[in-house]
Amino acid sequence: MMASSYNAKEEDAHHSGASSHGGAGAVKSKKPDNTAFKQQRLPAWQPILTAGTVLPAFFVIGLIFIPIGIGLFVTSNNIKEFEIDYTGVKTDSPCYSCAKNVSWNNTTPCVCSMDFTLEQPFENNVYMYYGLSNFYQNHRRYVKSRDDSQLNGDLSALKEPSKECEPYRKSEGLPIAPCGAIANSLFNDTLELFHIDSNGTRNPVPLVKQGIAWWTDKNVKFRNPGANSNLTIAFQGTTKPVNWRRPVYELDPLNSDNNGFINEDFIVWMRTAALPTFRKLYRIISKKSGSNPTLSSGRYVLDVTYNYPVLSFDGRKRMILSTISWMGGKNPFLGIAYITVGSICFFLGVVLLIIHHKYDTRNNSPDIPN
């Protein structure tokens, strides 16, 4: 027995030595390294939730969120906004005949006028938007139907657009510029605003059409092809989108800084909306000098060159006049959300405080019970 025990110990020592010297018969240990991470010795913080920590948190959140929500809600309500629907669905609408007869192939524009009254004057800069409803710019195939390289002025993409643009990639054998479904459905109504003075005279309201697009879009993402200032030559060998009435180099021929791919109306449209009801910035009405309001109260007329058909998909069109604040446009949702969350937290804090006070059965006496 002693000899057998001796031989076993000798064999273990032999194997141990072979393993330590990396011999052919070495057995690799599966034991994790002796580190804090692999041996699970890292320090950890495990909060213990007690009434003394949870209840103050509920009250603090409520006392912070409620005033913020009230401030956001009041600020949003102070923003003045006016909206008028000019779709022309009803028979008594001035735009009814235009809505019934308009199509993408019409060459003769249809003009209608909408009268409205502003009850309150609009101060500071006023922003004119066009709004569309039931228009799903968030559809997956619609969003992908564009060629960003082409829009950035790449000559090879101009002549050979991306296959993502199908079926608006080529027309009659020529590449479409700009290609894709987004560009093909460009909003092309023309809106003009007139103020009616006491004598009944129509005074045009000056509308600024530059400065409506994001700076990064205007100066980085969208560029005209080549260095040639003559866009007719730059876009030679391409054709206009199917639903357009004129080529891209005639979007604003009087202003080279707002023509072609860098046209701001086009850039604004190409930034797709996330919801089926949306608005996009159309023009800016700059503040007048002095103390006069930008838009005084009174009668106005909106002249619409009706080019964009929407009745086929049960859509709606509207014009919106709005001022802005430090938080942007009119949007009461954020203020309501803050007030709601703050109120819920404060209410839960009161309920939990009552429950804690009524049902706390801990024995605070130093005496040891028998």
Side-chain angles (χ1 to χ4, degrees):
M1 291 293 294
M2 291 180 62
S4 176
S5 176
Y6 174 79
N7 291 336
K9 292 180 180 179
E10 185 178 6
E11 185 177 355
D12 290 341
H14 173 73
H15 284 297
S16 177
S19 176
S20 62
H21 288 84
V27 179
K28 185 177 181 180
S29 175
K30 295 183 179 179
K31 181 180 178 181
D33 296 335
N34 189 22
T35 62
F37 177 74
K38 291 188 176 182
Q39 296 298 331
Q40 300 183 13
R41 295 196 300 267
L42 288 174
W45 178 64
Q46 183 178 1
I48 300 175
L49 301 178
T50 64
T53 58
V54 173
L55 292 179
F58 274 109
F59 286 116
V60 168
I61 293 174
L63 293 176
I64 293 177
F65 274 44
I66 292 176
I68 293 176
I70 293 174
L72 293 174
F73 187 76
V74 171
T75 302
S76 177
N77 283 344
N78 288 335
I79 296 174
K80 296 178 181 178
E81 188 171 292
F82 177 84
E83 181 175 313
I84 182 171
D85 188 301
Y86 69 91
T87 309
V89 178
K90 298 181 180 180
T91 55
D92 58 348
S93 172
C95 295
Y96 177 77
S97 60
C98 290
K100 290 297 182 181
N101 299 319
V102 70
S103 68
W104 294 112
N105 299 322
N106 283 359
T107 57
T108 303
C110 183
V111 180
C112 58
S113 299
M114 303 282 292
D115 296 331
F116 63 92
T117 301
L118 292 181
E119 301 295 341
Q120 295 180 336
F122 281 54
E123 309 289 344
N124 302 320
N125 288 344
V126 179
Y127 296 85
M128 176 186 283
Y129 301 86
Y130 62 86
L132 292 176
S133 298
N134 204 35
F135 192 109
Y136 289 82
Q137 275 199 316
N138 57 359
H139 191 281
R140 184 182 64 86
R141 283 291 294 119
Y142 183 90
V143 172
K144 293 177 62 177
S145 186
R146 61 188 293 164
D147 189 341
D148 289 321
S149 296
Q150 185 192 64
L151 298 174
N152 196 243
D154 185 85
L155 291 175
S156 60
L158 184 69
K159 302 299 182 181
E160 195 64 30
S162 169
K163 293 183 180 179
E164 295 287 355
C165 289
E166 294 287 1
Y168 303 104
R169 181 170 174 258
K170 291 188 176 182
S171 176
E172 299 179 354
L174 293 177
I176 295 176
C179 70
I182 307 176
N184 187 65
S185 60
L186 174 67
F187 182 83
N188 60 348
D189 280 356
T190 301
L191 308 178
E192 296 177 288
L193 192 61
F194 297 88
H195 177 244
I196 309 300
D197 60 19
S198 57
N199 298 324
T201 306
R202 289 164 52 110
N203 300 307
V205 177
L207 305 176
V208 180
K209 61 182 177 180
Q210 287 189 266
I212 61 175
W214 289 21
W215 185 92
T216 51
D217 289 347
K218 175 76 172 180
N219 297 278
V220 178
K221 294 183 179 181
F222 290 79
R223 296 178 182 174
N224 283 321
N228 198 326
S229 59
N230 190 336
L231 293 183
T232 306
I233 298 177
F235 285 99
Q236 191 173 10
T238 65
T239 185
K240 66 179 181 63
V242 177
N243 288 343
W244 286 25
R245 303 185 180 187
R246 53 185 175 175
V248 66
Y249 51 83
E250 292 183 4
L251 290 179
D252 192 358
L254 300 179
N255 187 354
S256 59
D257 292 331
N258 192 43
N259 200 15
F261 287 160
I262 59 174
N263 178 265
E264 297 201 25
D265 286 326
F266 171 68
I267 293 174
V268 168
W269 178 258
M270 293 299 291
R271 182 169 285 277
T272 54
L275 299 173
T277 297
F278 59 87
R279 63 176 64 178
K280 291 179 182 286
L281 184 58
Y282 180 70
R283 294 291 182 264
I284 300 174
I285 305 173
S286 299
K287 176 178 172 55
K288 298 179 180 179
S289 59
S291 58
N292 295 328
T294 307
L295 291 178
S296 58
S297 57
R299 292 177 55 214
Y300 287 84
V301 172
L302 175 68
D303 278 359
V304 180
T305 304
Y306 205 110
N307 298 319
Y308 203 76
V310 295
L311 296 184
S312 60
F313 56 88
D314 197 26
R316 295 291 183 272
K317 296 190 294 185
R318 61 195 187 280
M319 184 277 298
I320 305 105
L321 297 173
S322 176
T323 59
I324 63 171
S325 67
W326 58 268
M327 61 173 288
K330 191 178 186 67
N331 184 12
F333 172 77
L334 192 60
I336 294 174
Y338 267 92
I339 294 174
T340 302
V341 173
S343 301
I344 291 174
C345 288
F346 195 86
F347 175 74
L348 289 177
V350 173
V351 172
L352 293 176
L353 180 62
I354 295 173
I355 294 174
H356 174 68
H357 179 73
K358 185 175 182 179
Y359 296 101
D360 186 14
T361 58
R362 291 179 300 175
N363 189 0
N364 296 323
S365 174
D367 297 334
I368 300 175
N370 294 328

